[in-house]
Amino acid sequence: MTHDHPVAAERAVSRPFGRLLTAMVTPFTADGSLDLDGAVRLANHLVDEQGNDALVLNGTTGESPTTTDVEKERLIRAVAEAIGDRARVVAGVGTNDTRHTIELAAAAEKAGAHGLLVVTPYYNKPPQSGLVRHFTAVADTTGLPIMLYDIPHRAGVPIATETIVRLAEHGRIVAVKDAKSDLTATSWVTSRTELAYYSGEDSLTLPALAVGCVGVVGTSTHFTGVLTKRMIEAYDAGDTGTALALHRRLLPLFTGIFRTQGTILVKAGLAAKGLPAGPVRPPLVDATDDEIAQLRADCAAAGLELP
């Protein structure tokens, strides 16, 4: 007679937003205005050609610091209508003002979003009790599931392990985009909660899966989506050799897309492929010829062609 050790029991894995999510850039026209037709074309490409289960709109990669509230709402509505039930739309609504975040969350829900990405309030560095109050206030006022976004190198403050565990008790806080680069902290949260953890760093997706993550919210996945999803599925199937081979193959682009700010190189790469992107808005600057040449080299190193 055998007795299963409780630690050995496999927990049911929840993937509320699937395995592969891309933080989509926001296409602009040549004069810098919002390109809704381009956004629809790009969203369809990312879902149909790159295999995304969900798209994150109005994140930092989507230039949320320089898009207006009205532009954010119009983008969500257009993309949600275009992709229908083929994928989910997760709307970035996080700001460093709780009241403003609640307003954006309400607008996103009304516009058709399926979930919300709420980043740690940045720059004003609230204490952990302030983070609990902020995230709880948003979760209390929306009907949508929430993904917390833990990115201390941008926000200036981490969401502490105990804080995340406490927030996990809220019924609408269901996931975390983890860009903390601390797999030990990730391990403690995934072992103590049912939260669905998504790697927020492309190059750490494979090791993150090993400590309980369920997928990725990617940037290079504008180009690596199919193979990144295959890597995750291979790991899930127990084929760690294939997963490792794909990780190593894609590493030049997982890292190369961040040689400068990620949006800049994604937009340059999309333009090279004839996909909607347009310029970036200041204070970002468009990629230089040298940066585009390096991006081509990084793509080639990953076995992906960039015209």
Side-chain angles (χ1 to χ4, degrees):
M1 185 176 179
T2 60
H3 297 279
D4 288 334
H5 192 281
V7 175
E10 187 174 342
R11 210 165 54 196
V13 175
S14 170
R15 291 188 181 84
F17 306 109
R19 289 177 169 87
L20 178 71
L21 297 80
T22 292
M24 192 179 98
V25 298
T26 302
F28 299 134
T29 59
D31 67 0
S33 57
L34 182 64
D35 180 5
L36 284 182
D37 290 341
V40 166
R41 279 181 55 210
L42 180 58
N44 283 328
H45 168 80
L46 290 173
V47 172
D48 298 335
E49 306 300 326
Q50 290 292 340
N52 280 275
D53 301 308
L55 300 176
V56 175
L57 305 180
N58 299 325
T60 312
T61 305
E63 298 180 74
S64 59
T66 55
T67 58
T68 67
D69 291 2
V70 171
E71 287 174 326
K72 288 176 171 66
E73 184 272 333
R74 292 176 65 206
L75 180 68
I76 294 165
R77 190 176 301 279
V79 171
E81 288 177 0
I83 63 177
D85 60 2
R86 290 176 292 133
R88 310 195 83 193
V89 168
V90 179
V93 299
T95 73
N96 59 354
D97 173 0
T98 303
R99 182 172 57 184
H100 189 202
T101 301
I102 289 170
E103 290 170 356
L104 289 175
E109 184 169 8
K110 188 175 179 182
H114 305 99
L116 304 174
L117 178 70
V118 186
V119 72
T120 317
Y122 39 83
Y123 194 71
N124 44 15
K125 297 186 78 169
Q128 295 298 310
S129 58
L131 297 186
V132 171
R133 184 175 178 183
H134 175 80
F135 291 122
T136 301
V138 179
D140 282 346
T141 56
T142 182
L144 296 178
I146 287 174
M147 178 186 292
L148 306 178
Y149 187 7
D150 188 10
I151 183 164
H153 67 271
R154 283 198 175 184
V157 60
I159 313 176
T161 297
E162 291 302 327
T163 303
I164 298 176
V165 171
R166 181 175 169 188
L167 289 167
E169 297 172 4
H170 197 292
R172 278 185 291 280
I173 296 175
V174 301
V176 175
K177 179 183 176 184
D178 179 21
K180 192 182 276 180
S181 299
D182 183 349
L183 291 178
T184 301
T186 302
S187 302
W188 278 115
V189 179
T190 57
S191 69
R192 294 173 60 193
T193 74
E194 300 294 324
L195 290 170
Y197 253 67
Y198 290 86
S199 174
E201 298 175 83
D202 299 16
S203 63
L204 288 184
T205 303
L206 181 57
L209 293 171
V211 297
C213 284
V214 300
V216 63
V217 179
T219 303
S220 70
T221 48
H222 282 85
F223 312 106
T224 67
V226 171
L227 294 177
T228 300
K229 190 172 189 179
R230 192 177 301 167
M231 178 185 76
I232 297 167
E233 290 173 342
Y235 182 87
D236 287 345
D239 186 358
T240 55
T242 295
L244 180 57
L246 286 165
H247 166 78
R248 287 173 171 165
R249 172 182 167 178
L250 296 173
L251 198 55
L253 201 50
F254 282 165
T255 57
I257 205 73
F258 300 109
R259 288 181 186 272
T260 183
Q261 202 270 2
T263 306
I264 294 169
L265 290 181
V266 169
K267 283 197 161 183
L270 291 172
K273 293 173 72 72
L275 288 164
V280 296
R281 286 180 176 174
L284 299 185
V285 290
D286 291 319
T288 65
D289 290 344
D290 286 347
E291 287 170 337
I292 295 170
Q294 181 62 61
L295 178 61
R296 284 198 175 89
D298 290 335
C299 285
L304 297 167
E305 184 182 353
L306 190 65

